Amino acid sequence: LNFTTTIATDLKIIHLGDSLGQQFVQGFDASVLGKGYESNRVVLQEYFYEGKIYSHNCLSVAAPIRGGGVSSYWRVTDLISEINRRKEAACAKEELQLKQRVGWSMKQSIALVDHKYYVNVSDDATKDKMGQSPSFPVGKFDSVVMRIPHGWMDIPDITRERLLEAIHLSHENLGVQTVIITTLPLNNNVLDASDWRGINKINEMIRDIAQTWTSVPGKGVQWVLVLEFGDFTNQILWKNAQQ
């Protein structure tokens, strides 16, 4: 199929998660920026592996995007929690097999929220004395797309308590009112039938949190939504297997 998806939004959206979350935001950025506007995406922190063959973005901001909004990414290979909060969290190599993770820090969230971006304008009256276009801070985000980093986290560690804590900390550190949690798919980290049953339980837990979420008007996270990434990709695998 020869088509290109384009998205326009005035919302400030951030993706939070591991390298799969980075792939989510790369696809999203391609849809909201468009050809010729790639320079609106800035990588604030990046880790290059030996030989610089490939890298991981740790923090990125694309702004303004089509519609006037913001798209950002924050790499965290764990559900954010008080137990993995650090004073300094380096953008550095992490060891998946050893479950060695660098955690997260408030300095990272501040870097994203305080980041300033420029809006190109043709009207000279809106430019400053140096002839530069006006700049704006990102400010509070409207929503976060949260990818649970299964693989980095073992299935028994992905609990309701950890998810609820991550939801509340997302609001405290990013200002979001809407949290979107992606369900987990069948992938290379699902090693046997026991793992698959565990993934299904996690997905049911995600749906239940969203369905039973109660909010206080004007305070904290107002909405928890489910992005059925797991069901979508599983259906693709199943349909392909049937052919």
Side-chain angles (χ1 to χ4, degrees):
L1 298 179
N2 185 20
F3 69 92
T4 301
T5 300
T6 59
I7 300 171
T9 180
D10 61 354
L11 296 175
K12 299 174 183 179
I13 302 170
I14 182 167
H15 285 73
L16 176 64
D18 56 7
S19 57
L20 187 54
Q22 180 177 331
Q23 293 173 41
F24 287 167
V25 79
Q26 286 172 335
F28 186 75
D29 285 352
S31 298
V32 295
L33 285 175
K35 186 177 181 180
Y37 292 91
E38 294 88 348
S39 61
N40 285 14
R41 183 177 187 272
V42 178
V43 178
L44 305 182
Q45 290 185 12
E46 184 174 23
Y47 174 77
F48 285 92
Y49 284 79
E50 293 179 6
K52 293 189 176 182
I53 298 176
Y54 65 100
S55 67
H56 281 309
N57 293 170
C58 294
L59 301 174
S60 71
V61 177
I65 59 177
R66 184 185 291 109
V70 175
S71 171
S72 294
Y73 170 64
W74 184 4
R75 175 180 169 84
V76 183
T77 55
D78 206 341
L79 286 171
I80 58 174
S81 170
E82 291 297 342
I83 63 174
N84 54 34
R85 184 199 292 263
R86 306 284 185 265
K87 185 177 181 180
E88 299 280 352
C91 180
K93 183 178 180 180
E94 300 171 287
E95 294 291 348
L96 176 59
Q97 300 303 323
L98 300 177
K99 298 293 190 291
Q100 291 180 349
R101 291 161 284 184
V102 299
W104 67 281
S105 75
M106 189 179 294
K107 289 185 178 181
Q108 292 173 313
S109 60
I110 291 174
L112 291 166
V113 171
D114 285 354
H115 175 75
K116 291 186 177 182
Y117 62 95
Y118 290 91
V119 177
N120 291 325
V121 293
S122 57
D123 182 10
D124 291 338
T126 61
K127 296 180 180 180
D128 62 19
K129 294 180 180 180
M130 301 298 293
Q132 292 184 330
S133 297
S135 64
F136 301 91
V138 170
K140 293 181 179 180
F141 288 90
D142 296 298
S143 63
V144 59
V145 180
M146 187 183 299
R147 143 74 187 171
I148 301 173
H150 169 232
W152 289 98
M153 294 183 71
D154 294 327
I155 290 174
D157 296 329
I158 304 171
T159 63
R160 190 182 191 92
E161 292 72 24
R162 286 294 305 274
L163 269 172
L164 291 174
E165 184 181 16
I167 290 171
H168 290 299
L169 285 173
S170 294
H171 171 75
E172 290 178 11
N173 289 272
L174 298 167
V176 298
Q177 291 191 317
T178 302
V179 174
I180 304 167
I181 307 175
T182 64
T183 53
L184 297 174
L186 176 66
N187 59 26
N188 60 304
N189 293 310
V190 179
L191 303 180
D192 52 32
S194 176
D195 283 353
W196 183 229
R197 287 191 292 270
I199 291 298
N200 283 327
K201 288 181 179 179
I202 290 170
N203 289 340
E204 287 299 324
M205 177 176 63
I206 293 170
R207 298 181 187 111
D208 184 65
I209 289 174
Q211 291 171 357
T212 60
W213 185 261
T214 56
S215 61
V216 178
K219 184 178 180 180
V221 172
Q222 300 296 298
W223 302 277
V224 177
L225 307 177
V226 180
L227 176 60
E228 289 286 0
F229 177 74
D231 187 55
F232 172 69
T233 55
N234 293 342
Q235 290 295 328
I236 292 176
L237 290 172
W238 176 244
K239 291 298 182 183
N240 283 338
Q242 289 179 312
Q243 299 303 315

